[in-house]
Amino acid sequence: MKKAFIGVYGCQMNVSDAERMEGQLGTIGYERTEAMGEADLILLNTCCVRETAEDKVYGKIGEIKHIKERNPNLIFGITGCMAQKEGEKLIRRAPHIDFVLGTNKVHELVHVVKGIQAERGHVVDVSIGETELPEGMPVTRGGKFSAWVPIMYGCNNFCTYCIVPYVRGRERSRLPEDVVREVEEAVGKGYKEITLLGQNVNSYGKDHGKADFAELLSRVDAVPGIQRVRFMTSHPKDLSDRVIEAIRDGKHICEHIHLPVQHGTNRILKAMNRVYTVEKYRDLARKIRENLPEASITTDIIVGFPGETEEDFHAMLDFIKEIRYDSAYTFLYSRRSGTPAATMENQVDEACKKRRLSELMDVQNGISREINEALRGKTVEVMVEGASKNDDEIWTGRTRTNKIVLWRHGAEAPGDFVQVRITQPQTWVLKGEIQ
Ligand code: 5AD
Ligand code: SF4
């Protein structure tokens, strides 16, 4: 077997795409290695949502130059969002890259690698036309019990800060029967937890009209043997009552909604082209809590969007305190050329952004700790993942609400469902005792 190193950056969609790349490479004799130095093929599946993600990849590209000098037969390709955005510029800047394959071209990987094996040379394919969705691609999943299943690709929303719609194209939904078939296959192989993926899962099916997201959720929930159904990401403008009801009525659909708010003032939300108002978001959060009292709500927040004043920032903090998220991913606004926000006036300076980010994180951490504190003494259902990073005796898993739980290992095995009584809730994790 030849060896392939696949570096993955960015979101779960990239993890999922990489599993499909690995599946395809398996059909032409490559198995995955974690050691870049011993690889016959190196793929970097990249992200460009923030500048820091791109910087990491450029660092890696530099490192690979030395590996390629020692091993000229090495094949080196860039895939994913940065590949789509930069195209052949990448090869001009770093000629040791053999190929650049865009986000819509995952299914062409075998073809491209074989071509390069045969005659070397460079290949760049970043066309993004309205091609049919590739179905039936082989997939080599990273997890044993949790599987990612993409249900749609692309995004139509054009939030003014975001590069994703430019590098992933317009929304295209897979057919419900194709999604359900993939879920059935995964469950048949022993997967217990399925996460449905899309940039905005709530607009699933609007293009083909065969089923909406609520219906898809119910159909996946009904797959025999499935234990947990998760989904990401929800856009507040499209999260319908039907979806909330489907979660409530589903047996296996986990009570966790990742509902990026991005900001907490109408002025900035409008400038971000988020389409909803704080009033509408507040209503939605209330509806979720009324129908799903156990649900956790998590979010993404950006600080330092152009024109964000101290007053806007404090109004946002107040909104965060009002909604009370279980946890939040917080980001410094990163200027992405080609997006409308990149050319807006009143860009916020870095030092100010950093100060605001740290203030926001302090506020959110306090809220997360308080919410978790309420779980002290309670018993929660956990799907066992395995030993934690730092200690073989301490095992980890997640609650239905997607909280990380740690406990001293007994006889349980990965993939088991266990009851854990929470004894030491913390900001990021819940420590407990297995019951
Ligand atoms: N700068 C900072 N954060 C961004 N995100 C998207 N674009 C940018 C940007 N230009 C964040 C959003 C999104 C998450 C995946 O990344 O919060 O929800
Ligand atoms: Fe980017 Fe907005 Fe689409 Fe999310 S919904 S991927 S933030 S454009």
Side-chain angles (χ1 to χ4, degrees):
M1 283 292 250
K2 287 177 293 215
K3 300 245 185 317
F5 175 91
I6 308 179
V8 185
Y9 300 83
C11 67
Q12 270 72 25
M13 193 56 97
N14 267 6
V15 175
S16 165
D17 283 346
E19 292 182 341
R20 275 147 225 264
M21 293 176 196
E22 185 180 347
Q24 286 189 70
L25 291 174
T27 66
I28 52 168
Y30 288 94
E31 66 181 6
R32 196 157 175 174
T33 174
E34 296 306 318
M36 213 161 63
E38 64 169 40
D40 303 288
L41 177 120
I42 296 179
L43 270 189
L44 300 181
N45 194 28
T46 61
C47 169
C48 59
V49 80
R50 280 172 292 278
E51 195 175 350
T52 44
E54 287 195 313
D55 290 345
K56 273 192 217 154
V57 173
Y58 279 122
K60 216 52 172 181
I61 291 176
E63 231 178 278
I64 292 165
K65 184 157 186 242
H66 303 296
I67 301 179
K68 188 133 179 180
E69 278 161 7
R70 289 200 304 272
N71 173 14
N73 289 328
L74 171 71
I75 297 178
F76 176 28
I78 308 281
T79 57
C81 295
M82 236 175 109
Q84 188 67 47
K85 174 165 161 274
E86 299 296 317
E88 63 182 2
K89 267 194 259 165
L90 283 168
I91 293 184
R92 262 188 263 135
R93 181 164 167 177
H96 62 293
I97 298 171
D98 294 295
F99 68 91
V100 176
L101 209 55
T103 52
N104 262 16
K105 295 287 161 176
V106 174
H107 57 289
E108 294 287 343
L109 184 60
V110 163
H111 176 71
V112 169
V113 170
K114 276 186 168 169
I116 289 174
Q117 282 171 338
E119 45 189 305
R120 306 300 305 188
H122 292 306
V123 176
V124 177
D125 190 350
V126 292
S127 47
I128 205 169
E130 297 301 305
T131 49
E132 261 183 46
L133 291 182
E135 286 296 342
M137 245 194 285
V139 50
T140 305
R141 298 189 192 280
K144 274 205 173 120
F145 302 101
S146 299
W148 308 112
V149 174
I151 63 167
M152 58 194 301
Y153 304 96
C155 180
N156 287 354
N157 295 312
F158 290 94
C159 302
T160 54
Y161 50 81
C162 186
I163 193 87
V164 169
Y166 305 90
V167 293
R168 290 247 170 209
R170 294 298 68 70
E171 285 176 3
R172 286 144 292 144
S173 305
R174 294 175 72 188
L175 294 174
E177 54 271 29
D178 290 332
V179 173
V180 170
R181 191 183 326 109
E182 186 176 338
V183 171
E184 284 169 348
E185 278 169 15
V187 172
K189 287 186 180 148
Y191 287 92
K192 300 181 175 186
E193 177 178 78
I194 302 290
T195 305
L196 306 177
L197 292 179
Q199 305 298 341
N200 174 17
V201 291
N202 305 96
S203 65
Y204 171 82
K206 286 190 179 161
D207 47 347
H208 57 49
K210 299 269 167 60
D212 64 6
F213 185 56
E215 187 181 335
L216 185 73
L217 267 180
S218 305
R219 282 177 66 175
V220 170
D221 182 55
V223 168
I226 203 164
Q227 306 256 28
R228 284 183 171 184
V229 182
R230 300 188 182 280
F231 54 94
M232 276 194 308
T233 288
S234 294
H235 193 304
K237 82 180 168 58
D238 297 308
L239 182 66
S240 65
D241 294 356
R242 272 172 55 76
V243 168
I244 296 174
E245 284 156 19
I247 303 169
R248 184 194 63 198
D249 299 340
K251 189 155 182 278
H252 310 287
I253 306 171
C254 291
E255 298 77 16
H256 167 224
I257 303 186
H258 185 61
L259 194 65
V261 65
Q262 312 295 4
H263 208 272
T265 69
N266 286 338
R267 194 176 72 80
I268 300 276
L269 287 173
K270 186 148 190 267
M272 287 178 158
N273 189 31
R274 290 293 289 178
V275 187
Y276 53 84
T277 58
V278 292
E279 291 76 20
K280 175 148 184 257
Y281 191 100
R282 177 183 291 132
D283 249 21
L284 190 54
R286 183 186 44 76
K287 238 187 268 172
I288 293 169
R289 295 220 158 101
E290 274 170 17
N291 284 280
L292 309 164
E294 301 288 307
S296 61
I297 306 182
T298 57
T299 203
D300 294 345
I301 308 164
I302 297 176
V303 298
F305 184 82
E308 181 190 70
T309 62
E310 212 49 34
E311 198 185 339
D312 294 325
F313 173 66
H314 282 107
M316 183 246 268
L317 285 184
D318 288 341
F319 194 62
I320 299 306
K321 289 179 195 160
E322 178 191 334
I323 300 290
R324 291 180 69 77
Y325 294 103
D326 290 80
S327 67
Y329 293 98
T330 52
F331 304 108
L332 290 177
Y333 167 70
S334 171
R335 205 166 175 178
R336 308 282 65 206
S337 69
T339 63
T343 50
M344 286 179 186
E345 286 172 11
N346 301 322
Q347 299 279 330
V348 178
D349 76 70
E350 286 304 307
C352 176
K353 278 192 225 175
K354 285 188 180 148
R355 176 184 50 77
R356 288 179 187 168
L357 182 71
S358 112
E359 214 174 307
L360 168 62
M361 284 164 78
D362 284 348
V363 167
Q364 179 53 46
N365 290 348
I367 298 169
S368 297
R369 195 164 349 99
E370 280 170 20
I371 294 180
N372 287 346
E373 183 57 39
L375 291 169
R376 187 184 290 276
K378 300 243 165 74
T379 297
V380 291
E381 181 205 80
V382 173
M383 190 177 111
V384 178
E385 284 167 22
S388 61
K389 265 202 195 119
N390 305 325
D391 184 346
D392 280 355
E393 294 297 303
I394 303 298
W395 275 39
T396 180
R398 281 173 195 261
T399 62
R400 281 175 68 106
T401 54
N402 209 34
K403 292 181 193 259
I404 298 169
V405 179
L406 297 172
W407 68 90
R408 186 156 292 281
H409 181 227
E412 66 284 355
D416 284 354
F417 286 84
V418 294
Q419 300 290 325
V420 179
R421 193 170 63 85
I422 303 306
T423 51
Q424 269 179 275
Q426 298 179 352
T427 308
W428 303 107
V429 297
L430 307 169
K431 294 185 177 168
E433 288 161 5
I434 203 156
Q435 296 298 289

